[in-house]
Amino acid sequence: MTHRILFVCLGNICRSPTAEAVTRAKAAARGLELILDSAGTGNWHVGKPPYAPMQDAARIKGYDLSPLRARQVRPADLSDFDHVIVMDNDNASDLASFGPTDRVALFTDYAPHVGASYIPDPYFTRDFEGALALIEDCAEGLLDTLERDARQD
Ligand code: 4NP
């Protein structure tokens, strides 16, 4: 089964496009086929590429965010994607205005050993490297979970 995964944050220019690109690269390295996308609960940056400082931090680690463009969450996303993965609890509560949230999960829940309960927003903290490192850990945890579930099917 090819999982369809949507990453969601507030602006779709920092955390969720990074989560999409990092997960895409790590899934390819494992030979896993996934359908990945990202979106924001807000609409301020629709059509824009990821934020330049976020792109710079990602590029240093080998991730190219430049082809991505921001879009806003659509109500159909909540049923079209198998997993809707949010960066913080505000994203989760904001999603409730788009539709049912039974497929919504926190990205950090996939990396419990890291001890973080959300991905801090680097647009405000300015810690782009820290957000990227956390996203890399969560992406590995997510892929571990998908592989483990696939073995049990
Ligand atoms: P993101 O960060 O949710 O990780 O994309 C943000 C980027 C921009 C804004 C908020 C969050 N903004 O308010 O413009």
Side-chain angles (χ1 to χ4, degrees), residues 93-110:
S93 45
D94 290 344
L95 276 178
S97 64
F98 292 86
T101 54
D102 48 296
R103 299 180 181 192
V104 175
L106 264 174
F107 204 16
T108 46
D109 283 352
Y110 289 99

Side-chain angles (χ1 to χ4, degrees), residues 8-18 39-41 44-45 51 54 87-88 91 119-124:
V8 171
C9 63
L10 178 58
N12 194 213
I13 57 168
C14 291
R15 294 165 295 172
S16 62
T18 303
T41 56
W44 311 284
H45 303 286
Y51 192 46
M54 189 74 250
M87 303 297 126
D88 61 37
N91 305 148
I119 314 274
D121 192 339
Y123 192 75
F124 300 110

Side-chain angles (χ1 to χ4, degrees), residues 3 9-10 26 45-46 68 71 74 89 106 110 121 125:
H3 292 270
C9 63
L10 178 58
K26 291 184 177 298
H45 303 286
V46 168
L68 303 176
R71 73 169 179 89
R74 298 182 279 263
N89 277 315
L106 264 174
Y110 289 99
D121 192 339
T125 68

